[in-house]
């Protein structure tokens, strides 16, 4: 049992060392518990939840920001065509028209219900994670997968969401031959933030090359430690 635990810890340490970067960070979002980065993370979650390459979704997240649509008021104030053009600039063309509509509708809802501040939504949920999930589901384009992505990222600043290792993260753990119990994985990961652990595991779920590379490196490390 000890040898298996050592192996799992080694694999996780290698994974996080090589791929431990949140998707918000990759999208250029400095995540803090303030309105703008929280909203940008929500937009990113909406885009990532579609059946499109993650790199394209992240590029589109950056393109919307660069086009000035960095908060709900500016997103709602932009024209539909401006949203389409920004999504296209990021390569997000397959779902651009539908997504442009839903981003506008979602921004308007956030402004009407919560003054454009997701922290007010969090306050309304009052620590009840199921209620928070339900409120998030009211945002157009944010289905169950999008909610998982959003909570997976914001657990870094919203502790009540942690540990959030969703189905995609657990799929990554399975591909690496790791246990699929969230609490066990968090314990094995030691001092690493659950958000960072989750993002690394998701990358393993999305890319078999990540799995192959991590397992190879972990095996080499085991031999070196001999």
């Amino acid at each position: 049992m000890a040898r298996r635990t050592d192996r799992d810890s080694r694999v996780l340490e290698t994974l996080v060392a090589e791929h431990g970067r949140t998707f918000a960070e990759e999208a250029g979002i400095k995540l803090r518990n303030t309105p703008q980065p929280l909203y940008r993370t929500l937009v990113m979650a909406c885009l990532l939840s579609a059946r499109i390459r993650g790199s394209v979704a992240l590029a589109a997240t950056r393109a919307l920001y660069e086009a000035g649509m960095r908060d709900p008021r500016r997103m709602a104030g932009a024209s539909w065509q401006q949203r389409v053009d920004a999504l296209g600039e990021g390569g997000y063309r397959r779902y651009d028209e539908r997504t442009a509509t839903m981003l506008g509708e979602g921004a308007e809802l956030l402004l009407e219900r919560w003054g454009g501040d997701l922290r007010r939504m969090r306050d309304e949920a009052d620590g009840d994670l199921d209620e928070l999930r339900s409120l998030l589901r009211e945002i157009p384009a944010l289905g169950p997968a999008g909610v998982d992505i959003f909570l997976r990222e914001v657990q870094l600043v919203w502790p009540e969401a942690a540990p959030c290792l969703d189905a995609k993260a657990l799929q990554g753990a399975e591909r690496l031959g790791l246990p699929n119990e969230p609490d066990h994985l968090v314990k094995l990961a030691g001092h690493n933030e659950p958000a960072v652990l989750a993002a690394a595991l998701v990358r393993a779920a999305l890319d078999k090359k990540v799995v192959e590379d991590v397992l190879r490196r972990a095996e080499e490390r085991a031999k070196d430690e001999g």
Side-chain angles (χ1 to χ4, degrees):
M1 182 64 178
R3 290 182 63 185
R4 175 56 189 264
T5 300
D6 288 346
R7 179 265 178 197
D8 290 348
S9 296
R10 195 159 42 241
V11 168
L12 266 185
E13 287 172 10
T14 304
L15 174 70
V16 172
E18 297 295 327
H19 304 284
R21 186 185 186 199
T22 65
F23 287 90
E25 183 182 356
E26 189 174 342
I29 301 168
K30 294 181 180 179
L31 187 55
R32 298 185 298 274
N33 188 32
T34 53
Q36 191 180 115
L38 288 172
Y39 176 67
R40 292 181 62 202
T41 302
L42 183 78
V43 170
M44 180 192 74
C46 290
L47 300 183
L48 279 171
S49 64
R51 292 182 178 179
I52 199 163
R53 288 199 315 277
S55 58
V56 171
L58 296 178
T61 301
R62 290 190 293 270
L64 286 164
Y65 175 80
E66 290 163 3
M69 288 165 262
R70 55 193 64 181
D71 58 47
R73 192 166 303 281
R74 289 169 178 160
M75 182 69 78
S79 70
W80 176 82
Q81 190 61 53
Q82 286 173 318
R83 291 193 292 269
V84 169
D85 290 345
L87 289 167
E89 184 69 24
Y92 203 91
R93 295 184 178 86
R94 184 176 174 188
Y95 304 101
D96 55 353
E97 295 186 358
R98 177 171 173 267
T99 301
T101 298
M102 290 192 291
L103 286 175
E105 293 173 349
E108 289 172 2
L109 176 63
L110 277 170
L111 290 167
E112 291 168 6
R113 287 279 301 276
W114 299 287
D117 189 343
L118 282 160
R119 297 175 302 179
R120 295 185 184 182
M121 178 193 288
R122 182 192 184 193
D123 290 343
E124 184 176 330
D126 195 25
D128 185 331
L129 195 55
D130 288 337
E131 177 64 14
L132 180 58
R133 284 182 175 276
S134 179
L135 292 171
L136 286 166
R137 285 289 306 276
E138 294 184 30
I139 305 296
L142 202 69
V147 169
D148 281 345
I149 293 167
F150 178 73
L151 292 176
R152 204 171 67 206
E153 294 284 320
V154 301
Q155 65 181 317
L156 197 63
V157 293
W158 288 3
E160 70 273 22
C164 181
L165 301 184
D166 63 351
K168 185 60 73 173
L170 295 180
Q171 182 184 342
E174 183 177 352
R175 289 188 174 184
L176 288 162
L178 297 168
N180 63 356
E181 300 88 5
D183 289 342
H184 191 176
L185 287 166
V186 170
K187 185 177 180 180
L188 281 171
H191 66 279
N192 292 295
E193 288 281 354
V196 172
L197 169 63
L201 288 169
V202 168
R203 287 187 171 89
L206 296 174
D207 189 346
K208 66 179 183 180
K209 290 182 180 178
V210 168
V211 174
E212 293 167 356
D213 178 63
V214 167
L215 293 178
R216 178 181 57 79
R217 288 175 181 266
E219 186 176 350
E220 289 172 355
R221 181 179 161 189
K223 290 177 181 178
D224 290 342
E225 292 173 355

